[in-house]
Amino acid sequence: MAWLDAGAADDFPEGGSRVDLAGRSLAVFRIGDDFYVIGDICSHAFASLSEGELWDYDVECPLHGSEFDVRTGIPRGLPATQPVATYEVRLEQGRVMVSVDAGGGDR
Ligand code: FES
């Protein structure tokens, strides 16, 4: 399992940030001191979920409005029907480390 450094935890603002790691576009969500990482590209069409508004643990796709739970990647409503990939994340000496092997199948 490869853990890759997504950046310093203190550099992530509250809400979503896009990070490119190992050829994948990831959406890193900071909620307080907790971090969640999902695939950045919506499963419905081409939109960046890191640019969506965050409501509790749900991010709203900026293009058509499906909401995805950042903890599970599962959409809560149409038009998206497929989940986005989720990635394991942990903090290590102030760095946000992401396992790019855990999510798999991201586009
Ligand atoms: S592109 Fe995200 S809901 Fe359509």
Side-chain angles (χ1 to χ4, degrees):
M1 181 181 298
W3 290 91
L4 299 182
D5 188 340
D10 287 346
D11 290 343
F12 284 91
E14 189 80 10
S17 302
R18 177 179 164 150
V19 174
D20 292 317
L21 270 184
R24 299 180 192 208
S25 295
L26 308 179
V28 178
F29 292 95
R30 178 178 192 159
I31 302 174
D33 290 330
D34 295 326
F35 288 84
Y36 303 90
V37 180
I38 62 174
D40 187 45
I41 305 304
C42 183
S43 62
H44 176 240
F46 197 82
S48 176
L49 294 175
S50 61
E51 297 175 7
E53 278 202 64
L54 193 61
W55 310 93
D56 294 325
Y57 292 98
D58 294 337
V59 61
E60 181 179 329
C61 176
L63 194 53
H64 303 121
S66 281
E67 293 183 6
F68 293 81
D69 189 322
V70 300
R71 299 167 295 186
T72 63
I74 295 173
R76 294 192 182 279
L78 297 172
T81 58
Q82 299 299 311
V84 293
T86 57
Y87 297 86
E88 289 186 52
V89 58
R90 71 183 185 199
L91 294 180
E92 204 174 284
Q93 297 180 337
R95 311 291 299 182
V96 177
M97 305 299 293
V98 180
S99 171
V100 294
D101 296 336
D106 191 22
R107 54 182 182 149

